[in-house]
């Protein structure tokens, strides 16, 4: 018997080249033994050599895509120590480890695709440092047989690379080459187009055609981003009149059209390859790409296929999600033919199946924020804050809009990818699939389910039918807690002041909230102040038609004459009658609807928005300079009244003040109104910090103005999880866990 060590490595350590990395360390440190994957991560049994140096290097020198949470060591006695060090077969079933997100093509693989070797021009080149992971995974452990690469038998050359621990493709499960891997073809009018599919695709795009391109997590609809006619055609076919399109180009081209700092370049080149919002600069592109916006959403090519197409086209491309309006992204070839046939002139297909739908992540570099958490970020996990060691397994179901679910297990929170709006039938199907998919994939067995308190949300109704104890969580409390959890705020860290600004959420008093100052922590919150409520006339219609919100706010401020002048052709009296009677006109303190009202006053899509948030986004885009004079708000009791703000705005309108100035004054005034109260809570010792959360904080100008108004005060913001409803499930999960722990401690 020989004494050695059993070393358990936990974290994101499968599918990232960790075992060959361990093998190489063993050669370097003279260690004998074995390494293998199992449901808990990576297990190493080692003896001899410099074990201390070997053990330290496991986390200090981990591969680029690895995330080591912890290294656990225990004594181990070998009956027969191997003469060298071997990579043993995977053992066991189930899932206690993390799964690696999909990663953009690495530089070494790009060099191969552009070189002269056997993978020259091959659209599915990858290695252990890049390529598909989550989008091809069917189960754990992460082995080829458990992925959508299973049908592709390796050729001898790939098998040799796969079996060589010194090769960067050792056990790279998606390994492929033109002889054995997935194939690519271009299809038009049901027929395969002869010739090189990349060259033919480039030719069609140069002619102004629209091509559906199969990617990692679904299809994109692509067209020439420099061609106004092609862009107009795509908008017409998709019935998407104004919502911004995402763009794809190599970094050299992006620099020609956008303002790029170091933070932006680093984020673009992150292995997650998100869509990054960048200010327009340099050579202008057609305004129709993002009407009324000061930014464009750019991403780098993140698969060899993208690199090949963009190199052949030589210009930026629109790369927008391939889906019917409101439906999930298309992933199957037959599904694409059926659903995208009316949009696309041709299809660039391949025969590797996509296991799950993932949209592109959307992010901003400065200030750092995630607007949509999806491909490249999921299924990355967040460590639970201190005090949650005894957290049970919890499933949280999120909200109705921008749906996502969250799982808690083993001290980690896994926030899912963006699923969409649950009132759409197909999105609802994807939501139910995601619950089952994540439970199976991560061997998750929740003891509690958390949901929003709104009785009409489909997720809430589903929670009550799952046969588990249900924790209903107030919407804005969940926003606050999600920001606390992301920032690692300890469970006993004390109360915080939460400025939570969003569209709408069901309040604890049964009314509609949305412009809130809360005081509390994971266990509970108190509503300290809020925007003065105004009737939400028509319910959802008020969210679609900004003029309704301006009308009721101007009437409340005694400025009805201005409303009459601004909207002579709209049904003002009907809206006023409904407001007076309280007919489908619930009182609402929404900051989102206040943004709509101010936007409508400036003539920004007042009659109707063509997509959610359009008016507010256009209003933000106007505010290019610092505000010289923030608009005033009144503070009476627990209400923050915008009436003085509207009087100042009306004066500016009458004086012909520029819209950009008005927008800046509004943003600064709203930020100051809430920051004043939050500062007082910190100054008096009632709060230890200020949290900024809710969908309105996707607005970079509002976030910046709030940070300025809270200078020298500890402030927590979202950086890795969405401030919008895409982060709700994280907050719900930690609140449910905190309540469970508190009950256990009290019993």
């Amino acid at each position: 018997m020989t004494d050695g060590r059993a070393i358990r490595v936990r974290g994101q350590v499968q599918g990232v080249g960790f075992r060959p990395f361990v093998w190489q360390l063993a050669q370097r440190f003279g260690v004998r033994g074995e390494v293998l994957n199992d449901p808990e991560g990576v297990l190493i049994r080692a003896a001899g050599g410099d074990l201390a140096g070997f053990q330290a290097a496991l986390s200090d020198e981990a591969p680029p895509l690895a995330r080591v949470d912890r290294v656990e060591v225990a004594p181990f006695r070998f009956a027969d120590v191997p003469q060298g060090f071997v990579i043993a077969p995977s053992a066991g079933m189930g899932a206690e480890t993390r799964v690696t997100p999909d990663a953009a093509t690495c530089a070494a693989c790009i060099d191969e695709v552009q070189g002269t070797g056997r993978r020259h021009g091959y659209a599915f080149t990858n290695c252990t440092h890049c390529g598909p992971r989550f989008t091809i995974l069917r189960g754990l452990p992460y082995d080829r047989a458990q992925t959508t690469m299973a049908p592709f038998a390796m050729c001898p050359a790939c098998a040799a690379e796969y079996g060589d621990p010194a090769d960067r493709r050792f056990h790279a499960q998606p390994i492929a080459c033109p002889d054995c891997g997935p194939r690519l073809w271009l299809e038009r009018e049901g027929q395969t187009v002869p010739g090189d599919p990349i060259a033919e695709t480039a030719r069609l795009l140069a002619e102004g055609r629209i091509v559906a391109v199969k990617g990692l997590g679904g299809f994109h609809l692509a067209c020439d981003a420099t061609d106004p006619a092609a862009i107009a055609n795509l908008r017409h076919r998709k019935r998407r009149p104004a919502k911004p399109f995402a763009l794809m180009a190599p970094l050299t081209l992006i620099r020609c059209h956008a303002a790029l700092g170091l933070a932006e370049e680093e984020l673009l080149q992150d292995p997650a390859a998100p869509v990054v919002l960048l200010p327009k600069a340099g050579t202008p592109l057609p305004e129709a790409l993002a009407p009324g916006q000061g930014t464009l959403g750019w991403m780098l090519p993140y698969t060899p296929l993208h690199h090949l197409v963009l190199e052949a086209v030589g210009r930026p491309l629109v790369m927008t999600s391939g889906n019917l309006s409101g439906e999930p992204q298309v992933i199957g070839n037959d599904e694409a033919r059926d659903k995208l046939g009316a949009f696309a002139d041709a299809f660039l297909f391949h025969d590797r199946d996509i296991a799950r739908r993932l949209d592109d992540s959307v992010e901003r570099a400065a200030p750092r924020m995630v607007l949509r958490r999806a491909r490249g970020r999921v299924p990355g996990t967040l460590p639970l804050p201190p005090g949650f060691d005894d957290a049970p397994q919890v499933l949280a179901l999120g909200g109705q809009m921008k749906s996502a679910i969250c799982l808690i297990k083993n001290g980690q929170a896994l926030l899912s990818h963006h699923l969409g709006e649950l009132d759409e039938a197909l999105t609802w199907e994807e939501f139910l699939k995601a619950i089952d998919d994540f439970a199976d994939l991560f061997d998750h067995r929740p003891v509690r389910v958390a949901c929003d308190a709104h009785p009409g949300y489909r997720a809430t109704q589903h929670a009550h039918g799952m046969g588990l104890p249900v924790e209903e969580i107030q919407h804005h409390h969940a926003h606050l807690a999600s920001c606390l959890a992301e920032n690692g705020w300890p469970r006993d860290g004390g109360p915080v002041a939460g400025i939570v600004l969003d569209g709408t959420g069901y309040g604890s008093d049964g009314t509609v909230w949305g412009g809130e100052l809360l005081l509390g922590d994971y266990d509970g919150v108190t509503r300290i102040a809020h925007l003065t409520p105004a009737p939400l006339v028509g319910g959802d219609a008020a969210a679609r038609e900004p003029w309704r919100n301006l009308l009721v706010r101007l009437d409340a401020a005694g400025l009805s004459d201005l409303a009459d002048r601004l909207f002579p052709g709209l049904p003002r009296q009907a809206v006023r009658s409904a407001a007076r009677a309280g007919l489908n006109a619930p009182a609402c303190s929404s900051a989102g609807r206040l943004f709509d009202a101010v936007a409508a006053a400036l003539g920004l899509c007042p009659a109707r928005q063509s997509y959610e948030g359009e008016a507010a986004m256009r209003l933000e885009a106007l505010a290019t300079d610092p505000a010289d004079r923030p608009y005033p708000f009144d503070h009476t009791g627990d209400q923050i009244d915008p009436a003085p703000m509207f009087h100042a705005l009306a004066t500016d309108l009458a004086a012909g003040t520029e819209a950009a100035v008005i927008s800046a004054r509004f943003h600064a005034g709203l930020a100051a109104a809430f920051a004043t109260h939050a500062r007082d809570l910190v100054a008096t010792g009632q709060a230890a910090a200020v949290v900024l959360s809710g969908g309105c904080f996707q607005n970079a100008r509002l976030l910046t103005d709030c940070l300025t108004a809270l200078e020298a005060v500890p402030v927590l913001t979202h950086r890795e999880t969405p401030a919008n409803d895409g982060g709700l499930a994280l907050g719900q999960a930690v609140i449910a866990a905190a309540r469970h722990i508190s009950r256990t401690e009290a019993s």
Side-chain angles (χ1 to χ4, degrees), residues 303-333:
T303 70
L305 174 57
H306 295 143
H307 281 277
L308 291 165
V309 170
L310 283 160
E311 184 179 11
V313 174
R315 65 195 72 178
L317 295 178
V318 168
M319 281 283 191
T320 189
S321 296
N323 63 321
L324 297 176
S325 179
E327 289 192 3
Q329 193 173 19
V330 167
I331 61 173
N333 292 352

Side-chain angles (χ1 to χ4, degrees), residues 42 66 71 122 155 160 187 198 230 253 330 369 399 505 520 526 596 603 658 678 693-694:
V42 166
V71 177
Y122 185 55
C155 68
E187 190 173 294
I198 298 293
L253 279 183
V330 167
M369 63 175 69
T526 300
D596 289 348
E658 291 183 2
S693 190

Side-chain angles (χ1 to χ4, degrees), residues 57-412:
L58 291 172
S59 53
D60 292 346
E61 303 176 25
L65 298 182
R67 301 291 182 271
V68 176
D69 291 339
R70 60 186 184 274
V71 177
E72 302 167 354
V73 183
F76 182 80
R77 300 201 75 188
F78 283 93
D80 185 14
V81 184
Q83 290 303 304
F85 194 89
V86 299
I87 297 177
S90 298
M93 300 296 289
E96 300 296 331
T97 189
R98 280 151 61 184
V99 177
T100 306
D102 299 88
T105 308
C106 69
C109 284
I110 293 173
D111 287 344
E112 279 189 273
V113 173
Q114 296 174 342
T116 58
R118 68 193 188 92
R119 289 190 176 89
H120 167 72
Y122 185 55
F124 306 95
T125 301
N126 66 85
C127 70
T128 54
H129 303 311
C130 69
R133 298 289 192 277
F134 191 48
T135 51
I136 63 170
L137 184 65
R138 297 199 188 279
L140 289 176
Y142 176 66
D143 288 320
R144 192 179 182 93
Q146 300 268 59
T147 73
T148 61
M149 285 298 297
F152 302 96
M154 278 183 255
C155 68
C158 284
E161 294 170 330
Y162 183 86
D164 181 1
D167 194 286
R168 81 175 198 278
R169 291 196 169 89
F170 178 78
H171 280 218
Q173 306 307 333
I175 186 174
C177 76
D179 293 334
C180 64
R183 68 182 185 89
L184 191 69
W185 73 96
L186 183 68
E187 190 173 294
R188 194 171 186 189
E189 297 178 353
Q191 302 296 316
T192 300
V193 177
D196 179 357
I198 298 293
E200 290 301 310
T201 296
R203 181 181 61 80
L204 290 175
L205 291 168
E207 292 175 355
R209 305 291 185 178
I210 298 165
V211 180
V213 179
K214 189 175 184 180
L216 285 183
F219 279 78
H220 287 113
L221 290 171
C223 74
D224 181 353
T226 69
D227 184 345
I231 297 164
N233 191 23
L234 179 56
R235 287 206 176 279
H236 172 72
R237 291 183 184 181
K238 278 208 78 175
R239 298 179 183 177
R240 183 173 168 171
K243 191 174 183 180
F245 284 141
L247 308 177
M248 181 181 284
L251 193 56
T252 52
L253 279 183
I254 295 177
R255 290 191 182 111
C256 297
H257 306 288
L260 281 173
L262 180 60
E264 287 78 10
E265 292 208 11
E266 287 182 349
L267 186 55
L268 281 167
Q269 296 177 88
D270 188 279
V275 175
V276 180
L277 298 186
L278 302 172
K280 296 177 182 177
T283 304
L285 290 170
E287 174 66 13
L289 291 170
Q293 303 303 314
T295 61
L296 290 171
W298 290 94
M299 58 183 155
L300 295 178
Y302 55 82
T303 70
L305 174 57
H306 295 143
H307 281 277
L308 291 165
V309 170
L310 283 160
E311 184 179 11
V313 174
R315 65 195 72 178
L317 295 178
V318 168
M319 281 283 191
T320 189
S321 296
N323 63 321
L324 297 176
S325 179
E327 289 192 3
Q329 193 173 19
V330 167
I331 61 173
N333 292 352
D334 287 340
E335 184 186 15
R337 293 183 183 101
D338 177 48
K339 293 189 172 181
L340 303 182
F343 304 152
D345 297 303
F347 297 85
L348 187 56
F349 283 132
H350 61 73
D351 56 356
R352 183 180 66 203
D353 288 342
I354 298 171
R356 54 185 56 78
R357 305 172 198 267
L358 263 79
D359 285 309
D360 297 309
S361 292
V362 181
E363 306 180 10
R364 193 191 298 268
R368 179 77 178 97
M369 63 175 69
V370 172
L371 287 80
R372 183 169 70 198
R373 179 179 166 88
R375 177 199 50 74
R377 299 298 183 196
V378 177
T381 64
L382 297 166
L384 292 179
F388 283 88
D389 295 342
D390 298 325
Q393 291 193 28
V394 173
L395 169 66
L397 300 184
Q400 184 81 356
M401 306 281 285
K402 299 176 178 61
S403 174
I405 65 173
C406 184
L407 285 60
I408 283 181
K409 181 180 178 182
N410 292 345
Q412 299 283 326

Side-chain angles (χ1 to χ4, degrees), residues 613-695:
E614 180 181 7
M617 289 171 64
R618 287 176 177 254
L619 183 65
E620 176 191 358
L622 287 176
T624 54
D625 297 319
D628 58 342
R629 174 172 49 83
Y631 282 150
F633 284 69
D634 192 19
H635 302 266
T636 305
D638 63 353
Q639 296 197 16
I640 300 171
D641 189 355
M645 182 273 296
F646 280 108
H647 278 276
L649 187 152
T651 299
D652 278 350
L653 285 176
T657 303
E658 291 183 2
V661 173
I662 293 174
S663 176
R665 289 173 176 172
F666 165 67
H667 281 84
L670 181 64
F674 277 90
T676 297
H677 287 280
R679 269 184 168 288
D680 289 344
L681 292 173
V682 175
T684 57
Q686 298 176 72
V690 178
V691 158
L692 305 179
S693 190

